[in-house]
């Protein structure tokens, strides 16, 4: 009897006890595959890259694995790591390359960078909880074990002309005690409690202001008159377009924000309510040259952002940077 034993389930490399082989260049991000996890990250101008793996909650990496030259396919660094315990690790990337701002390149090998395709991001698990600003990797990618049971969920498919839309800030909707919710106020779970109220109003569609991961401590300033810390409340400075905001989930500190958000969407659909997500794709939370290098800028600044001939950021968004959606790689990120 012949047994099916695919060749891509055999490691070809070993690094500090981790078994590896060249990965698949698509899809981008971290994908659970038979026997391990496939990591793929795009960078046209990087000269070298490393996969940085942490044990959850630990300050320093447990291992940094180089993408060997044979792991690069065109402009994509792709690696399969075997036998990785996906629920106990966090990951990021280091990229090496030229630091020539006037040419648009801002590579910095000392920085650990967030995967723009991460579906779970830790670091801001409880809204407003003061983070460790000295953390060398403050927003950490996690691997989503996508086993959520959607059942027979379907959007109601109500014609646009019949929609009665309630635009909503998820946190603001239930954070006040007058909302009377039992779940933590200002969360996806608390919003689910208010579905009967929405139906009573006659609402058949909610438009959610950004529910994707951002940093409420982005500005790190205080009100000079009251001493109150000022935060990014609206969430339009996105860090991860694929990851639900952990601070909007009662279970965010446990890394369950994706399931909590999906449960909300499923419950809305079951109640005949459509869901529209407000996504600001024109800019990111990295700002201009004075902003933090967290992800896109360090991975491939010249690809992801619109730059002037002297390498400065074009600021059509009014927030410091503008995503370069003329580039097919960036455009595909938006479509995906």
């Amino acid at each position: 009897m012949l047994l099916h034993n695919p060749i891509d389930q055999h490691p070809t490399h070993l690094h500090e006890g981790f078994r590896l082989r060249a990965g698949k260049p698509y899809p981008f991000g971290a994908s659970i595959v038979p026997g391990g996890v496939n990591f793929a990250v795009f960078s046209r101008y990087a000269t070298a890259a490393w996969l940085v793996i942490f044990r959850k909650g630990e300050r320093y990496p447990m291992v940094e694995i180089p993408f060997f030259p044979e792991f690069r396919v065109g402009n994509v660094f792709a690696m399969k790591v075997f036998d990785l315990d996906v629920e106990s690790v966090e990951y990021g990337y280091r990229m090496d390359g030229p630091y020539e701002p006037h040419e648009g390149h801002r590579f910095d090998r000392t920085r650990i960078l967030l995967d723009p395709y991460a579906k779970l991001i830790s670091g801001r698990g409880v809204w407003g909880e003061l983070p460790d600003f000295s953390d060398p990797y403050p927003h950490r990618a996690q691997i989503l074990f996508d086993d959520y049971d959607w059942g027979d969920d379907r959007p109601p498919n109500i014609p646009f002309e019949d929609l009665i839309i309630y635009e909503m800030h998820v946190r603001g909707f239930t954070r006040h005690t007058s909302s009377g919710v039992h779940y933590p106020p200002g969360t996806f779970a608390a919003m689910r409690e208010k579905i009967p109220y929405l139906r009573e109003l006659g609402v058949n569609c909610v438009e959610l202001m950004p529910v994707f991961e951002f940093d409420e401590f982005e500005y790190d300033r205080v009100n000079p008159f009251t001493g109150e810390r000022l935060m990014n409340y609206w969430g339009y400075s996105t860090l991860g377009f694929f990851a639900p905001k952990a601070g909007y989930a009662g279970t965010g500190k446990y890394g369950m924000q994706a399931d909590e958000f999906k449960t909300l969407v499923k419950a809305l659909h079951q109640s005949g309510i459509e869901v529209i997500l407000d996504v600001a794709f024109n800019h990111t939370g990295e700002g201009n040259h004075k902003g933090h290098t967290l992800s896109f800028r360090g991975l491939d600044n010249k690809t992801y952002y619109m730059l002037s001939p002297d390498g400065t950021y074009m600021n059509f968004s009014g927030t410091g940077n503008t995503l370069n959606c003329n580039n097919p790689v960036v455009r595909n990120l938006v479509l995906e």
Side-chain angles (χ1 to χ4, degrees):
M1 182 176 65
L2 294 177
L3 297 177
H4 180 60
N5 194 6
I7 192 169
D8 63 0
Q9 292 191 24
H10 292 276
T12 58
H13 295 65
L14 188 69
H15 181 82
E16 295 188 19
F18 286 84
R19 301 187 306 147
L20 319 165
R21 70 171 293 122
K24 297 183 185 300
Y26 189 83
F28 294 165
S31 306
I32 297 175
V33 295
V37 179
N38 189 83
F39 295 91
V41 59
F42 177 93
S43 183
R44 179 178 179 182
Y45 298 102
T47 56
W50 293 260
L51 172 66
V52 184
I53 301 178
F54 296 78
R55 290 187 179 89
K56 275 188 180 177
E58 293 194 359
R59 184 178 180 87
Y60 299 107
M62 61 187 288
V63 67
E64 299 195 19
I65 305 173
F67 284 87
F68 295 99
E70 53 269 36
F71 291 2
R72 183 167 186 171
V73 181
N75 296 322
V76 181
F77 296 87
M79 176 197 307
K80 178 177 177 178
V81 181
F82 288 80
D83 306 321
L84 197 61
D85 183 359
V86 298
E87 295 187 282
S88 68
V89 299
E90 299 167 321
Y91 74 96
Y93 299 110
R94 287 194 198 273
M95 311 299 286
D96 203 2
Y99 183 80
E100 299 170 346
H102 62 286
E103 294 291 339
H105 303 304
R106 293 180 177 269
F107 291 102
D108 182 352
R109 182 176 170 175
T110 67
R111 295 188 180 274
I112 304 172
L113 305 167
L114 176 66
D115 183 356
Y117 279 79
K119 295 181 176 66
L120 281 178
I121 299 174
S122 67
R124 298 294 183 267
V126 178
W127 174 273
E129 185 174 88
L130 199 65
D132 178 2
F133 290 109
S134 68
D135 191 327
Y137 185 36
H139 308 281
R140 301 187 175 196
Q142 297 181 348
I143 303 164
L144 178 64
F145 193 78
D146 194 1
D147 58 348
Y148 184 80
D149 182 7
W150 284 99
D152 58 357
D153 175 74
R154 293 290 185 276
N157 291 321
I158 301 168
F160 278 107
E161 62 269 22
D162 295 330
L163 293 180
I164 302 171
I165 302 173
Y166 190 127
E167 185 180 16
M168 178 188 300
H169 186 283
V170 169
R171 176 165 171 77
F173 185 54
T174 61
R175 66 183 296 263
H176 194 269
T177 54
S178 62
S179 67
V181 294
H182 298 288
Y183 287 110
T187 63
F188 301 128
M191 181 184 161
R192 194 170 77 246
E193 284 188 66
K194 303 298 290 185
I195 290 176
Y197 168 72
L198 294 170
R199 292 298 301 164
E200 184 180 340
L201 292 178
V203 169
N204 61 11
C205 178
V206 291
E207 178 184 349
L208 304 183
M209 296 171 72
V211 296
F212 313 96
E213 193 60 55
F214 66 93
D215 184 5
E216 63 265 34
F217 292 97
E218 175 185 358
Y219 302 111
D220 193 26
R221 294 197 296 268
V222 298
N223 185 321
F225 301 103
T226 66
E228 178 188 11
R229 184 177 292 274
L230 301 177
M231 294 186 178
N232 172 5
Y233 189 72
W234 300 112
Y236 283 96
S237 294
T238 308
L239 294 176
F241 291 102
F242 295 87
K245 171 72 175 156
Y248 282 179
T251 58
K253 59 185 176 182
Y254 306 115
M256 297 296 293
Q257 59 267 30
D259 281 5
E260 186 172 325
F261 178 64
K262 291 173 182 177
T263 300
L264 168 62
V265 173
K266 185 177 179 181
L268 287 164
H269 286 170
Q270 288 173 342
S271 297
I273 297 176
E274 298 274 12
V275 181
I276 297 173
L277 303 183
D278 180 352
V279 197
F281 282 118
N282 62 343
H283 69 282
T284 77
E286 290 186 303
N288 59 17
H289 64 284
K290 296 181 179 179
H292 300 291
T293 297
L294 300 170
S295 180
F296 302 96
R297 176 181 295 147
L299 290 170
D300 195 344
N301 187 61
K302 196 168 183 176
T303 290
Y304 281 108
Y305 292 117
M306 296 188 71
L307 305 175
S308 300
D310 63 356
T312 56
Y313 292 94
M314 292 185 174
N315 187 18
F316 299 119
S317 66
T319 60
N321 64 53
T322 305
L323 271 180
N324 182 22
C325 295
N326 298 310
N327 188 294
V329 171
V330 185
R331 195 160 57 244
N332 284 345
L333 179 142
V334 173
L335 293 173
E336 289 165 357

